[in-house]
Amino acid sequence: MSDFIEFTNEHGQCVQIAREEYEKKIIPQNLELYWDNPEMLRQFAMELVRDGFGLQGGKAADRLLELYGRIEPALNFRAVAHMQAGELDEAKKVLIECIEKYPESGAAFTNIAKILAYEGEGNKAFEALQQGLVYDPNQESAMDLYVHSFLELEQRELLLERLKELGEIEGAWRPHMVLGRLTLEDGNLLVALQAYREAIKKAGESEEVIMNVTGELGQAGYVYQLIQIAEQYWKPTFAHPFTGFNYANALLATEQGEKAIAVLCEMKESIAEPYKHTVEQFMERLPQELLAKAASQPQAEQAAEETNSNQKKSRWKFWK
């Protein structure tokens, strides 16, 4: 655990401070400031738990229960704060209450599974984890644990079958996403693309999913397939520029520089102000002769129109 905490101060500046000073000065100040603001307190409480301040995170979690009532998200968060502080018995009690009130709480079953796994109850932990995914198959941490369990036992083929079964649940997109990633690793491009497209479809063409799909295809070297996905789903109005960067990198890799610049220019015009400079920095790293050529040729404008109508390793971007 780092000796320093990074946080945003009241002036919107990102600063670093020693953990001890943060605990003594910033935490009490922010708890007091957000005490009657449930949304701000919730965000701060999540940061406290993430950064390992279990005691203060628990205090904030108790206050959230007062503000929201004993609803499912508040109960699950209180359990997580207990777990972070090593208070497993207390966490279990809260999770049991949550499951009694909300018997289809996928998060509660996943958290129970984590406790059971820590206590060495492997079989019970797996049963709880699988039940949690049946109730909510789009849980990221649960899916990561699920995949790890199968791969650790070298049961890859069985895992692929289970992912297909989970993918049949209404609204389940993450099983398809993981299925795409695993089959891509296996070199089965056709199945991977089918799974990726299904993930995008079931996620309602989510920007996050499209970005991760294009990132994974780019990382694996399938730039032409990346371009196909981007041409179908990318929009210059996406909130973040990273899918557009994946798209532009693939176009550059396939010697379609003018079209890449057209994509970047269109994105720069449409994206929110905080990211315009990020797009400009990306473009500044391009060969100047390419920029000059694109500026002098009408094809760049035509490529932009075509783009609009079609609407972890290095440069390929993933959601964070």
Side-chain angles (χ1 to χ4, degrees):
M1 188 176 292
S2 174
D3 293 330
F4 292 88
I5 297 295
E6 187 175 282
F7 73 104
T8 303
N9 64 18
E10 65 274 17
H11 304 295
Q13 301 168 321
C14 189
V15 297
Q16 282 193 338
I17 189 173
R19 286 185 65 88
E20 184 177 355
E21 186 176 0
Y22 183 79
E23 185 172 8
K24 289 181 178 179
K25 295 182 179 179
I26 305 301
I27 292 178
Q29 172 185 308
N30 283 357
L31 284 176
E32 182 178 358
L33 181 63
Y34 304 143
W35 197 246
D36 295 317
N37 186 327
E39 181 56 30
M40 294 299 296
L41 183 63
R42 183 185 66 83
Q43 294 180 21
F44 184 56
M46 292 174 67
E47 292 173 9
L48 290 174
V49 171
R50 180 199 65 199
D51 293 330
F53 295 102
L55 180 63
Q56 296 89 338
K59 183 178 180 181
D62 282 333
R63 176 58 177 167
L64 288 171
L65 284 171
E66 293 177 2
L67 294 171
Y68 285 113
R70 302 186 79 79
I71 61 174
E72 181 188 359
L75 287 168
N76 270 300
F77 183 74
R78 186 61 187 97
V80 170
H82 277 309
M83 292 162 66
Q84 179 67 37
E87 301 165 350
L88 300 188
D89 288 339
E90 290 83 351
K92 277 185 181 178
K93 292 177 183 176
V94 176
L95 290 170
I96 289 171
E97 177 188 349
C98 184
I99 291 173
E100 287 176 349
K101 289 185 174 182
Y102 308 97
E104 296 186 1
S105 171
F109 277 97
T110 297
N111 288 324
I112 284 281
K114 291 177 181 179
I115 295 175
L116 290 170
Y118 181 82
E119 294 175 338
E121 298 283 352
N123 291 334
K124 291 182 179 179
F126 183 79
E127 290 176 7
L129 181 64
Q130 188 158 253
Q131 189 63 58
L133 281 169
V134 168
Y135 289 138
D136 183 0
N138 296 325
Q139 297 178 82
E140 183 174 11
S141 64
M143 183 60 74
D144 289 344
L145 290 171
Y146 194 68
V147 170
H148 177 75
S149 299
F150 280 96
L151 296 183
E152 191 174 43
L153 295 172
E154 299 183 353
Q155 296 179 331
R156 193 180 186 91
E157 291 302 317
L158 180 58
L159 170 60
L160 298 181
E161 290 302 316
R162 293 288 178 83
L163 288 171
K164 292 175 184 176
E165 293 172 3
L166 288 171
E168 293 175 359
I169 298 172
E170 184 177 358
W173 60 264
R174 192 174 294 278
H176 295 284
M177 186 75 197
V178 177
L179 182 63
R181 182 181 307 136
L182 292 173
T183 50
L184 194 68
E185 292 173 0
D186 295 338
N188 197 335
L189 180 59
L190 180 60
V191 173
L193 287 173
Q194 289 173 340
Y196 280 144
R197 289 183 182 278
E198 191 65 20
I200 292 172
K201 175 183 175 183
K202 296 192 76 171
E205 300 187 10
S206 157
E207 177 183 350
E208 174 186 354
V209 175
I210 297 168
M211 188 183 78
N212 283 327
V213 167
T214 55
E216 290 179 9
L217 287 170
Q219 181 175 312
Y222 293 109
V223 289
Y224 288 103
Q225 290 75 14
L226 187 165
I227 291 170
Q228 290 176 356
I229 293 290
E231 286 179 344
Q232 183 173 356
Y233 297 109
W234 173 76
K235 297 180 179 64
T237 53
F238 276 174
H240 303 87
F242 308 117
T243 306
F245 290 164
N246 289 338
Y247 187 14
N249 276 323
L251 291 168
L252 291 168
T254 54
E255 299 183 356
Q256 300 180 68
E258 290 88 350
K259 188 171 182 179
I261 291 174
V263 166
L264 294 166
C265 288
E266 189 175 10
M267 182 165 60
K268 181 183 172 184
E269 288 299 315
S270 304
I271 204 160
E273 189 65 36
Y275 287 105
K276 289 187 184 296
H277 182 60
T278 308
V279 179
E280 290 172 355
Q281 287 180 319
F282 186 99
M283 297 179 71
E284 287 171 1
R285 293 194 293 269
L286 299 177
Q288 290 303 306
E289 59 270 20
L290 180 60
L291 291 170
K293 182 179 178 182
S296 64
Q297 292 184 357
Q299 283 89 339
E301 184 176 344
Q302 180 182 350
E305 293 174 356
E306 292 174 356
T307 302
N308 187 47
S309 65
N310 286 328
Q311 326 247 296
K312 270 177 183 157
K313 287 181 182 175
S314 53
R315 59 191 182 184
W316 307 108
K317 306 298 180 181
F318 298 84
W319 195 266
K320 295 182 179 179

